[in-house]
């Protein structure tokens, strides 16, 4: 805002506005950092309470090995494919029931709660809708390929 107020549009030897604005932005950020002293580094060995508990002790170590990353990427791809299959094979009500019951975009919701979302529907009807949707998904060529892949990978004895 300061750059916009102070920029001289009618100056014949003017710099581009972006160049002028960068100067003001840099100076404001630099002044903020110097005033707030935000460059101080915090030590992970700093004590955070009277029980000799250090900050480093509160950090949760989560190892991401090659296998975990590959598995995560695999399940992301499966989810995308399953989304496409559900869009093609299921009705809107079946998609909503499956996604809510399995926590597709958040928390899992019980079939009782799903049934209460639809007027005049009981839990038994929600169960039938869910089972019908799962059966439709299982009958798709994608599900057959996926089952064969997993069967070979984990060597199920079926």
């Amino acid at each position: 805002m300061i750059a916009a107020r102070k920029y001289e549009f009618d100056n014949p030897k003017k710099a581009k506005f972006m160049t002028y604005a960068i100067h003001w932005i840099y100076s404001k950020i630099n002044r903020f950092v110097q005033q707030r002293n935000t460059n101080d580094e915090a030590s992970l060995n700093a004590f955070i309470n009277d029980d000799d508990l250090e900050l480093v002790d509160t950090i949760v170590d989560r190892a991401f090995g090659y296998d975990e990353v590959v598995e995560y990427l695999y399940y992301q791809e499966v989810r995308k494919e399953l989304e496409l299959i559900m869009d093609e094979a299921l009705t809107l009500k079946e998609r909503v029931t499956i996604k809510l019951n399995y926590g597709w975009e958040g928390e899992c919701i019980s079939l009782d709660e799903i049934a209460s979302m639809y007027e005049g529907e009981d839990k038994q009807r929600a169960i039938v809708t869910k089972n019908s949707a799962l059966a439709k998904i299982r009958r798709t060529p994608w599900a057959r390929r996926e089952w064969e892949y997993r069967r070979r990978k984990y060597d199920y004895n079926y």
Side-chain angles (χ1 to χ4, degrees), residues 25 50 54 76 82 97 100 122 133 146 154:
I25 293 168
D50 295 335
E54 294 180 350
Q76 267 189 331
L82 192 54
T97 301
L100 290 175
D122 60 348
E146 192 65 25
Y154 297 110

Side-chain angles (χ1 to χ4, degrees), residues 1 5 11-12 22 30 34 37 41 43 52 54-55 60 69 76 78 89 94 111 124 135-137 142-143 146-147:
M1 295 303 292
R5 270 189 259 122
N11 185 348
I22 287 173
N30 196 20
Q34 288 175 353
N37 200 13
E41 296 178 6
S43 171
D52 295 334
E54 294 180 350
L55 185 60
V60 177
V69 171
Q76 267 189 331
V78 167
E94 290 170 336
L111 290 172
Q124 190 60 38
K136 286 180 181 179
I137 291 171
W142 173 85
E146 192 65 25
W147 171 249

Side-chain angles (χ1 to χ4, degrees), residues 1 7 11 29 44 47 51 53 67 71 74 77-78 80 82 87 91 95 111 117 122 128 132 136 140 144 153:
M1 295 303 292
Y7 185 71
N11 185 348
I29 290 173
L44 292 177
F47 293 106
D51 299 331
L53 185 65
D67 292 337
E71 187 172 330
Y74 169 72
E77 190 64 31
V78 167
K80 287 178 193 174
L82 192 54
D87 287 343
T91 65
R95 279 195 310 266
L111 290 172
M117 292 179 184
D122 60 348
V128 169
S132 170
K136 286 180 181 179
T140 63
R144 290 186 191 117
K153 181 178 179 182

Side-chain angles (χ1 to χ4, degrees), residues 32-33 155:
F32 176 84
V33 168
D155 192 26

